[in-house]
Coordinates of all heavy atoms in Angstrom, one line a residue:
S362 N 7.7 14.7 2.0 CA 8.9 14.0 1.4 C 9.7 14.8 0.4 O 10.9 14.6 0.3 CB 8.4 12.7 0.6 OG 7.7 11.8 1.5
F363 N 9.0 15.8 -0.2 CA 9.7 16.7 -1.1 C 9.3 18.2 -0.8 O 8.2 18.4 -0.2 CB 9.3 16.4 -2.6 CG 9.8 15.0 -3.0 CD1 9.0 13.9 -2.8 CD2 11.0 14.8 -3.6 CE1 9.4 12.6 -3.2 CE2 11.4 13.6 -4.0 CZ 10.6 12.5 -3.8
T364 N 10.1 19.1 -1.3 CA 9.8 20.5 -1.0 C 8.9 21.1 -2.0 O 8.0 21.9 -1.6 CB 11.1 21.3 -1.0 OG1 12.0 20.7 0.0 CG2 10.9 22.8 -0.6
T365 N 9.0 20.8 -3.2 CA 8.2 21.3 -4.3 C 7.8 20.2 -5.2 O 8.5 19.2 -5.3 CB 8.9 22.4 -5.1 OG1 10.0 21.8 -5.9 CG2 9.5 23.5 -4.2
P366 N 6.6 20.3 -6.0 CA 6.3 19.3 -6.9 C 7.3 19.0 -8.0 O 7.4 17.9 -8.5 CB 5.0 19.9 -7.5 CG 4.4 20.8 -6.5 CD 5.6 21.4 -5.8
D367 N 8.1 20.1 -8.3 CA 9.1 19.8 -9.4 C 10.2 18.9 -8.9 O 10.9 18.3 -9.8 CB 9.8 21.2 -9.8 CG 8.8 22.0 -10.6 OD1 7.9 21.5 -11.2 OD2 9.1 23.3 -10.7
E368 N 10.4 18.7 -7.6 CA 11.4 17.8 -7.1 C 10.9 16.3 -7.2 O 11.7 15.4 -7.1 CB 11.7 18.1 -5.6 CG 12.4 19.4 -5.4 CD 12.7 19.6 -3.9 OE1 12.3 18.7 -3.1 OE2 13.4 20.6 -3.6
V369 N 9.6 16.1 -7.3 CA 9.0 14.8 -7.2 C 9.2 14.1 -8.6 O 8.9 14.7 -9.6 CB 7.5 14.8 -6.9 CG1 6.9 13.4 -6.9 CG2 7.2 15.6 -5.6
P370 N 9.8 12.9 -8.6 CA 10.0 12.2 -9.9 C 8.6 12.1 -10.7 O 7.6 11.9 -10.0 CB 10.5 10.9 -9.5 CG 11.2 11.1 -8.2 CD 10.4 12.2 -7.5
R371 N 8.7 12.2 -12.0 CA 7.5 12.1 -12.8 C 7.1 10.7 -13.2 O 6.0 10.4 -13.6 CB 7.7 12.9 -14.0 CG 7.8 14.4 -13.7 CD 8.0 15.3 -15.0 NE 8.1 16.7 -14.6 CZ 7.1 17.5 -14.5 NH1 5.8 17.0 -14.6 NH2 7.3 18.7 -14.2
R372 N 8.0 9.7 -12.9 CA 7.7 8.3 -13.3 C 8.1 7.4 -12.2 O 8.9 7.7 -11.3 CB 8.5 7.9 -14.6 CG 8.3 8.8 -15.8 CD 9.2 8.5 -16.9 NE 8.9 7.2 -17.5 CZ 9.8 6.3 -18.0 NH1 11.1 6.6 -17.8 NH2 9.4 5.2 -18.5
A373 N 7.5 6.2 -12.2 CA 7.7 5.3 -11.1 C 7.4 3.9 -11.6 O 6.7 3.7 -12.7 CB 6.8 5.6 -9.9
V374 N 7.9 2.9 -10.9 CA 7.4 1.5 -11.1 C 6.4 1.2 -10.1 O 6.5 1.6 -8.9 CB 8.6 0.5 -10.9 CG1 8.1 -0.9 -11.0 CG2 9.7 0.8 -11.9
T375 N 5.3 0.6 -10.5 CA 4.2 0.3 -9.5 C 3.6 -1.1 -9.8 O 3.6 -1.6 -10.9 CB 3.1 1.4 -9.6 OG1 2.1 1.2 -8.6 CG2 2.3 1.3 -11.0
L376 N 3.1 -1.7 -8.7 CA 2.3 -2.8 -8.8 C 0.9 -2.4 -9.3 O 0.4 -1.3 -8.9 CB 2.1 -3.6 -7.5 CG 3.2 -4.6 -7.1 CD1 4.6 -3.9 -7.0 CD2 2.9 -5.3 -5.8
T377 N 0.3 -3.2 -10.1 CA -1.1 -2.8 -10.7 C -2.2 -3.1 -9.6 O -1.9 -3.8 -8.6 CB -1.3 -3.5 -12.0 OG1 -1.4 -5.0 -11.7 CG2 -0.3 -3.2 -13.0
V378 N -3.4 -2.6 -9.9 CA -4.5 -2.9 -9.1 C -4.8 -4.4 -9.0 O -4.9 -4.9 -7.8 CB -5.7 -2.1 -9.5 CG1 -7.0 -2.6 -8.7 CG2 -5.5 -0.6 -9.4
P379 N -4.8 -5.2 -10.1 CA -5.0 -6.6 -9.9 C -3.9 -7.3 -9.1 O -4.2 -8.3 -8.4 CB -5.0 -7.1 -11.4 CG -5.5 -6.0 -12.1 CD -4.9 -4.8 -11.5
A380 N -2.7 -6.9 -9.2 CA -1.6 -7.4 -8.4 C -1.9 -7.2 -6.9 O -1.7 -8.2 -6.1 CB -0.3 -6.8 -8.8
L381 N -2.3 -6.0 -6.5 CA -2.5 -5.7 -5.1 C -3.7 -6.5 -4.6 O -3.7 -7.1 -3.5 CB -2.8 -4.3 -4.9 CG -1.6 -3.3 -5.3 CD1 -2.1 -1.9 -5.2 CD2 -0.4 -3.6 -4.4
L382 N -4.8 -6.6 -5.4 CA -6.0 -7.3 -5.0 C -6.0 -8.8 -5.1 O -7.0 -9.5 -4.8 CB -7.2 -6.7 -5.7 CG -7.4 -5.2 -5.5 CD1 -8.7 -4.7 -6.1 CD2 -7.4 -4.9 -4.0
S383 N -4.8 -9.3 -5.6 CA -4.7 -10.8 -5.6 C -4.4 -11.4 -4.2 O -4.5 -12.6 -4.0 CB -3.5 -11.2 -6.5 OG -2.3 -10.8 -6.0
A384 N -4.2 -10.5 -3.2 CA -3.8 -11.0 -1.9 C -5.0 -11.6 -1.2 O -6.2 -11.3 -1.5 CB -3.3 -9.8 -1.1
G385 N -4.7 -12.5 -0.2 CA -5.8 -13.1 0.5 C -6.5 -12.1 1.4 O -7.7 -12.2 1.6
E386 N -5.8 -11.1 2.0 CA -6.4 -10.1 2.9 C -5.8 -8.8 2.6 O -4.6 -8.7 2.3 CB -6.2 -10.5 4.4 CG -6.8 -11.8 4.8 CD -6.5 -12.1 6.2 OE1 -6.9 -11.3 7.1 OE2 -5.9 -13.2 6.5
V387 N -6.6 -7.7 2.7 CA -6.2 -6.4 2.4 C -6.5 -5.5 3.7 O -7.6 -5.5 4.2 CB -6.9 -5.8 1.2 CG1 -6.5 -4.3 1.0 CG2 -6.5 -6.6 0.0
F388 N -5.5 -4.8 4.2 CA -5.6 -3.9 5.3 C -5.3 -2.5 4.7 O -4.1 -2.3 4.3 CB -4.7 -4.3 6.4 CG -5.0 -5.6 7.0 CD1 -4.4 -6.8 6.5 CD2 -5.9 -5.8 8.1 CE1 -4.7 -8.0 7.1 CE2 -6.2 -7.0 8.6 CZ -5.6 -8.1 8.1
C389 N -6.2 -1.6 4.8 CA -6.0 -0.3 4.1 C -6.1 0.8 5.2 O -7.2 1.1 5.8 CB -7.1 -0.1 3.1 SG -6.9 1.4 2.1
M390 N -5.0 1.6 5.4 CA -5.0 2.6 6.4 C -5.0 4.0 5.8 O -4.1 4.3 5.0 CB -3.7 2.4 7.3 CG -3.7 1.2 8.2 SD -3.6 -0.4 7.3 CE -1.8 -0.5 7.0
V391 N -6.0 4.8 6.1 CA -6.3 6.0 5.4 C -6.6 7.2 6.4 O -7.7 7.5 6.5 CB -7.4 5.9 4.4 CG1 -7.3 7.0 3.3 CG2 -7.4 4.5 3.7
P392 N -5.6 7.7 7.1 CA -5.9 8.8 8.0 C -5.8 10.2 7.3 O -5.2 10.3 6.2 CB -4.7 8.7 9.0 CG -3.6 8.2 8.2 CD -4.2 7.2 7.2
G393 N -6.4 11.2 7.9 CA -6.3 12.6 7.4 C -7.4 13.1 6.6 O -8.0 12.4 5.8
A394 N -7.7 14.4 6.8 CA -8.9 15.1 6.2 C -8.7 15.1 4.7 O -9.7 15.1 4.0 CB -9.0 16.5 6.8
Q395 N -7.5 15.2 4.2 CA -7.3 15.3 2.7 C -7.7 14.0 2.0 O -7.8 14.0 0.8 CB -5.8 15.6 2.4 CG -4.8 14.5 2.7 CD -4.4 14.3 4.1 OE1 -5.0 14.8 5.0 NE2 -3.3 13.6 4.3
K396 N -7.9 12.9 2.8 CA -8.3 11.7 2.1 C -9.8 11.4 2.2 O -10.3 10.4 1.7 CB -7.6 10.5 2.8 CG -6.1 10.6 2.9 CD -5.5 10.4 1.5 CE -4.0 10.3 1.6 NZ -3.4 9.2 2.2
R397 N -10.6 12.3 2.8 CA -12.0 12.0 3.1 C -12.8 11.8 1.7 O -13.6 10.9 1.6 CB -12.7 13.1 3.9 CG -14.2 13.0 4.0 CD -14.8 14.0 4.9 NE -14.5 13.6 6.3 CZ -15.0 14.2 7.4 NH1 -15.9 15.2 7.2 NH2 -14.8 13.8 8.6
A398 N -12.6 12.7 0.8 CA -13.3 12.6 -0.5 C -13.0 11.3 -1.2 O -13.9 10.6 -1.7 CB -13.0 13.8 -1.4
A399 N -11.7 10.9 -1.2 CA -11.3 9.7 -1.8 C -11.9 8.4 -1.1 O -12.4 7.5 -1.8 CB -9.8 9.5 -1.9
V400 N -11.9 8.5 0.2 CA -12.5 7.4 1.0 C -14.0 7.3 0.7 O -14.6 6.2 0.5 CB -12.3 7.5 2.5 CG1 -13.1 6.5 3.3 CG2 -10.8 7.4 2.8
T401 N -14.7 8.4 0.7 CA -16.1 8.4 0.4 C -16.4 7.9 -1.0 O -17.3 7.0 -1.2 CB -16.7 9.9 0.5 OG1 -16.4 10.4 1.8 CG2 -18.2 9.9 0.3
G402 N -15.7 8.3 -2.0 CA -15.9 7.8 -3.3 C -15.6 6.3 -3.4 O -16.3 5.6 -4.1
A403 N -14.5 5.9 -2.8 CA -14.1 4.5 -2.8 C -15.2 3.6 -2.2 O -15.5 2.5 -2.7 CB -12.8 4.2 -2.1
L404 N -15.9 4.0 -1.2 CA -16.9 3.2 -0.5 C -18.3 3.3 -1.2 O -19.1 2.4 -1.2 CB -17.0 3.6 0.9 CG -15.8 3.2 1.8 CD1 -16.0 3.8 3.2 CD2 -15.7 1.7 1.9
Y405 N -18.6 4.5 -1.8 CA -20.0 4.7 -2.2 C -20.1 5.1 -3.7 O -21.2 5.1 -4.2 CB -20.6 5.9 -1.4 CG -20.6 5.6 0.1 CD1 -19.9 6.3 1.0 CD2 -21.3 4.5 0.6 CE1 -19.9 6.1 2.4 CE2 -21.4 4.2 2.0 CZ -20.6 5.0 2.9 OH -20.6 4.7 4.2
G406 N -19.0 5.4 -4.4 CA -19.1 5.8 -5.8 C -19.1 4.6 -6.7 O -19.0 3.4 -6.2
P407 N -19.1 4.8 -8.0 CA -19.0 3.7 -8.9 C -17.7 3.0 -8.8 O -16.7 3.7 -8.5 CB -19.3 4.4 -10.3 CG -18.9 5.8 -10.1 CD -19.3 6.1 -8.6
I408 N -17.6 1.8 -9.2 CA -16.3 1.1 -9.2 C -15.8 1.2 -10.6 O -16.2 0.5 -11.5 CB -16.5 -0.4 -8.8 CG1 -17.0 -0.5 -7.4 CG2 -15.2 -1.2 -9.0 CD1 -17.3 -1.9 -6.9
D409 N -14.8 2.1 -10.8 CA -14.2 2.2 -12.1 C -12.9 2.9 -11.9 O -12.5 3.4 -10.8 CB -15.1 3.0 -13.1 CG -15.4 4.4 -12.7 OD1 -14.5 5.1 -12.3 OD2 -16.6 4.8 -12.9
G410 N -12.1 3.0 -13.0 CA -10.7 3.5 -12.9 C -10.6 5.0 -12.6 O -9.5 5.5 -12.4
R411 N -11.7 5.7 -12.6 CA -11.6 7.1 -12.3 C -11.3 7.3 -10.8 O -10.9 8.4 -10.4 CB -12.9 7.9 -12.7 CG -13.1 8.0 -14.2 CD -14.5 8.6 -14.5 NE -15.5 7.6 -14.1 CZ -16.8 7.9 -14.3 NH1 -17.2 9.0 -14.8 NH2 -17.7 7.0 -14.0
L412 N -11.6 6.3 -10.0 CA -11.2 6.3 -8.6 C -10.7 4.9 -8.3 O -11.5 4.0 -7.9 CB -12.4 6.7 -7.7 CG -11.9 7.4 -6.4 CD1 -13.0 8.3 -5.8 CD2 -11.5 6.3 -5.4
P413 N -9.4 4.7 -8.5 CA -8.9 3.3 -8.5 C -9.2 2.6 -7.1 O -9.5 1.4 -7.1 CB -7.4 3.5 -8.7 CG -7.3 4.7 -9.5 CD -8.4 5.6 -9.0
A414 N -9.3 3.3 -6.0 CA -9.5 2.7 -4.7 C -10.9 2.1 -4.6 O -11.2 1.3 -3.7 CB -9.3 3.7 -3.6
S415 N -11.8 2.5 -5.5 CA -13.1 1.8 -5.5 C -13.0 0.3 -5.8 O -13.9 -0.4 -5.4 CB -14.0 2.5 -6.6 OG -13.5 2.3 -7.9
A416 N -11.9 -0.1 -6.4 CA -11.7 -1.6 -6.6 C -11.6 -2.4 -5.4 O -11.7 -3.6 -5.4 CB -10.5 -1.8 -7.5
L417 N -11.3 -1.7 -4.2 CA -11.3 -2.4 -3.0 C -12.6 -3.1 -2.7 O -12.6 -4.1 -1.9 CB -10.9 -1.4 -1.8 CG -9.5 -0.8 -1.8 CD1 -9.4 0.3 -0.8 CD2 -8.5 -1.9 -1.6
R418 N -13.7 -2.6 -3.2 CA -15.0 -3.3 -3.0 C -15.2 -4.5 -3.8 O -16.2 -5.2 -3.7 CB -16.1 -2.3 -3.3 CG -16.0 -1.1 -2.4 CD -17.2 -0.1 -2.4 NE -18.2 -0.2 -3.4 CZ -18.4 0.8 -4.3 NH1 -17.6 1.8 -4.4 NH2 -19.4 0.6 -5.2
T419 N -14.2 -4.9 -4.6 CA -14.2 -6.2 -5.3 C -13.5 -7.3 -4.5 O -13.4 -8.4 -5.0 CB -13.7 -6.1 -6.7 OG1 -12.3 -5.9 -6.7 CG2 -14.4 -5.0 -7.5
H420 N -12.9 -6.9 -3.3 CA -12.1 -7.9 -2.6 C -13.0 -8.4 -1.4 O -13.6 -7.6 -0.6 CB -10.9 -7.2 -2.0 CG -9.8 -8.2 -1.6 ND1 -9.9 -8.9 -0.4 CD2 -8.7 -8.7 -2.2 CE1 -8.9 -9.7 -0.3 NE2 -8.1 -9.6 -1.3
P421 N -13.0 -9.7 -1.2 CA -13.9 -10.3 -0.1 C -13.4 -10.1 1.3 O -14.1 -10.2 2.2 CB -13.9 -11.8 -0.5 CG -12.6 -12.0 -1.2 CD -12.3 -10.8 -2.0
R422 N -12.1 -9.7 1.5 CA -11.5 -9.6 2.8 C -10.7 -8.3 2.9 O -9.5 -8.4 3.0 CB -10.7 -10.8 3.2 CG -11.5 -12.2 3.1 CD -10.7 -13.3 3.8 NE -10.6 -13.1 5.2 CZ -9.9 -13.9 6.0 NH1 -9.3 -15.0 5.5 NH2 -9.9 -13.7 7.3

Side-chain angles (χ1 to χ4, degrees):
S362 300
F363 297 87
T364 304
T365 68
D367 287 341
E368 292 181 359
V369 182
R371 296 180 179 274
R372 302 173 73 217
V374 174
T375 188
L376 274 63
T377 63
V378 173
L381 298 174
L382 298 188
S383 70
E386 300 181 55
V387 176
F388 298 88
C389 185
M390 289 69 80
V391 201
Q395 72 278 17
K396 304 289 185 70
R397 173 173 286 188
V400 171
T401 302
L404 288 172
Y405 302 115
I408 298 176
D409 65 42
R411 291 172 294 178
L412 207 155
S415 63
L417 293 171
R418 296 191 350 245
T419 67
H420 197 284
R422 301 192 68 182

